[in-house]
Amino acid sequence: MSASGTDAEAARHGLLPALPEDWQRCLAVAAHPDDIEYGTACAVARWTGQGRTVTYLLATRGEAGIDGIPPERAGPLREEEERAGARAVGVEVVEFLDHTDGVVEGGVGLRRDIVRAVRRHRPQIMVSGDFGVRMVGGMTNQADHRVVGLAALDAARDAGNRWIFPELADEGLEPWGGVRLVCFAGAARPTHGVDVSGPPLEAGIASLEAHAAYTRGLGDRAFEARPFLTWMARTGGPAIGAGAAILFDVHVLIPDGPPPWV
C-alpha cells in the first residue's frame, strides 16, 4: 500500500494515515454479537453512508454472554439485537456460524467457515477485533476474540488458494484472492484511522444501544453507549487529526506498489 500525498502529509505532522476507502465490499468478522459495536460500527456507518457494502459474520450467537439468561434463550435474543444494531449502521446481511460461545476452537474448521464466507461475499477489505493477548490500554483480550481475529487474518489469504479447502469448489465457491487489507480494531498499536465525526458516531451509538438486554445483563459492569463511544472516538481522533476516529491495525495482503526491496 503506497503512501498517498495525504498520507505523507499526515506522517509529517506525526499523524496516522487514513484507512484507504478505494474499495466497495467489506466483510466484518467477529466472535460475538456486540463485538463490532464497540467502535467498529461507527466506521461501518461511514462506509455504508458512502454507498459501500458491509456484511457481518459472527462466529457465535453470544449465547453464553448473559449470566441471568440461559443460553437457549440468550442466543436468539442476542441474535436479534445484533441484527438491529446492524440495521442502525446500514448493514443488511448478518450471518452466524454457530460455533459455541466462550469456547470457540481455532483451527481448520473455523478457518474453513470464514473462507466460505469470504469466497461467497468477495470482499476487498475485512475488519475484525484485535487478536493480541493485550488490547489497547493493556486490557487482557478474551479467548474467543483472539481465536476469531487470527482465523480471520489467515482465512483472508486462504480464500485465494484453490488448494486450501478444495472441497469448497464443490459448493460452487471459486477462490477469491481479492482481500487487500485486514483491519483490526482495539489494537495496542494502531496504524490507520477512520474519521467518524458527526453522523457515523451517532449511528454507531444507536448500534450499540440496540444491545440493551446484553448491557443490562452486565450488572455492575453495565454502561451507557453514548458516553462510552463518544469518549472512545474522541480519544482516537487526535491520532488522525479529527474530532472523532476509530483506529485500526492494518495488515496489507495486496500492496498498491512494488515491495520496498525492489
Side-chain angles (χ1 to χ4, degrees):
M1 184 168 52
S2 59
S4 66
T6 302
D7 290 350
E9 182 178 354
R12 284 197 298 271
H13 290 87
L15 301 175
L16 296 180
L19 197 156
E21 293 180 330
D22 55 341
W23 49 268
Q24 186 58 38
R25 297 181 304 279
C26 170
L27 180 67
V29 182
H32 316 107
D34 87 293
D35 286 352
I36 297 171
E37 284 68 38
Y38 284 99
T40 299
C42 300
V44 170
R46 172 186 170 97
W47 297 331
T48 59
Q50 295 169 334
R52 308 181 201 283
T53 299
V54 181
T55 300
Y56 282 4
L57 181 71
L58 285 298
T60 79
R61 296 177 191 268
E63 66 273 11
I66 304 177
D67 183 69
I69 303 178
E72 63 271 17
R73 289 173 46 209
L77 174 61
R78 298 200 67 198
E79 176 185 346
E80 182 51 39
E81 289 190 336
E82 181 60 26
R83 294 189 187 280
R87 288 192 295 271
V89 292
V91 173
E92 298 179 0
V93 178
V94 181
E95 299 176 349
F96 295 86
L97 295 177
D98 284 325
H99 289 259
T100 304
D101 185 14
V103 290
V104 177
E105 296 186 27
V108 295
L110 178 61
R111 282 168 55 194
R112 182 188 297 109
D113 287 345
I114 300 174
V115 167
R116 181 180 286 110
V118 173
R119 290 189 178 185
R120 188 168 61 249
H121 296 291
R122 303 170 80 81
Q124 288 109 359
I125 78 164
M126 292 170 60
V127 296
S128 191
D130 183 61
F131 55 85
V133 174
R134 292 188 185 274
M135 302 173 65
V136 63
M139 181 183 298
T140 300
N141 207 353
Q142 197 265 354
D144 289 352
H145 298 165
R146 303 197 307 266
V147 168
V148 172
L150 184 58
L153 179 60
D154 291 337
R157 180 170 282 135
D158 293 342
N161 189 328
R162 71 176 60 254
W163 309 121
I164 299 177
F165 309 126
E167 64 273 19
L168 294 180
D170 296 335
E171 301 176 20
L173 298 173
E174 289 298 311
W176 172 249
V179 179
R180 294 168 47 204
L181 310 173
V182 188
C183 314
F184 295 92
R189 296 182 179 179
T191 61
H192 293 71
V194 177
D195 187 341
V196 297
S197 305
L201 176 57
E202 289 298 315
I205 290 169
S207 185
L208 184 54
E209 287 176 339
H211 294 268
Y214 172 73
T215 302
R216 287 194 303 270
L218 293 174
D220 293 342
R221 295 180 292 121
F223 63 93
E224 294 185 17
R226 178 170 296 278
F228 171 77
L229 279 182
T230 301
W231 167 81
M232 173 185 287
R234 288 180 178 171
T235 299
I240 64 168
I246 302 302
L247 307 181
F248 295 89
D249 178 22
V250 176
H251 290 243
V252 180
L253 300 189
I254 303 177
D256 287 343
W261 57 84
V262 173

